[in-house]
Amino acid sequence: MDTTISAPAKWVETIGELRLPSKTDSRLQQLMDRNNDGKLSILEREELEALVELSERLSLVRAEALHLLGRGPQ
């Protein structure tokens, strides 16, 4: 069901600027590097999967916010 709501442009802009915190982004990169080297433990693989899912969802939310603002990726 598509529902239209109004929101202040500043809120939508803020959503469009969301990023993973730098420590989380660094951890994601570390895990991806270790994965490429075939050195992940089971727990690290689960952590990597969760961080990738979070990153993908965040990217989709950002993309939708930028679309609503009529902007492309930055």
Side-chain angles (χ1 to χ4, degrees):
M1 169 166 73
D2 283 343
T3 301
T4 302
I5 62 168
S6 62
K10 186 65 180 164
W11 289 7
V12 179
E13 288 174 6
T14 299
I15 291 169
E17 295 169 0
L18 287 176
R19 301 268 191 273
L20 288 175
S22 61
K23 284 185 176 184
T24 305
D25 190 53
S26 293
R27 180 62 176 159
L28 175 58
Q29 187 61 53
Q30 289 171 352
L31 291 169
M32 288 190 301
D33 291 344
R34 286 179 51 80
N35 185 53
N36 288 341
D37 294 338
K39 298 180 178 178
L40 283 184
S41 69
I42 292 171
L43 290 177
E44 287 173 323
R45 180 169 302 283
E46 290 173 359
E47 182 182 5
L48 175 59
E49 289 172 359
L51 289 175
V52 166
E53 183 179 345
L54 175 61
S55 179
E56 289 174 348
R57 286 183 183 207
L58 186 57
S59 292
L60 292 172
V61 168
R62 286 183 59 238
E64 184 64 26
L66 292 173
H67 174 73
L68 290 172
L69 293 168
R71 300 182 192 162
Q74 301 171 344

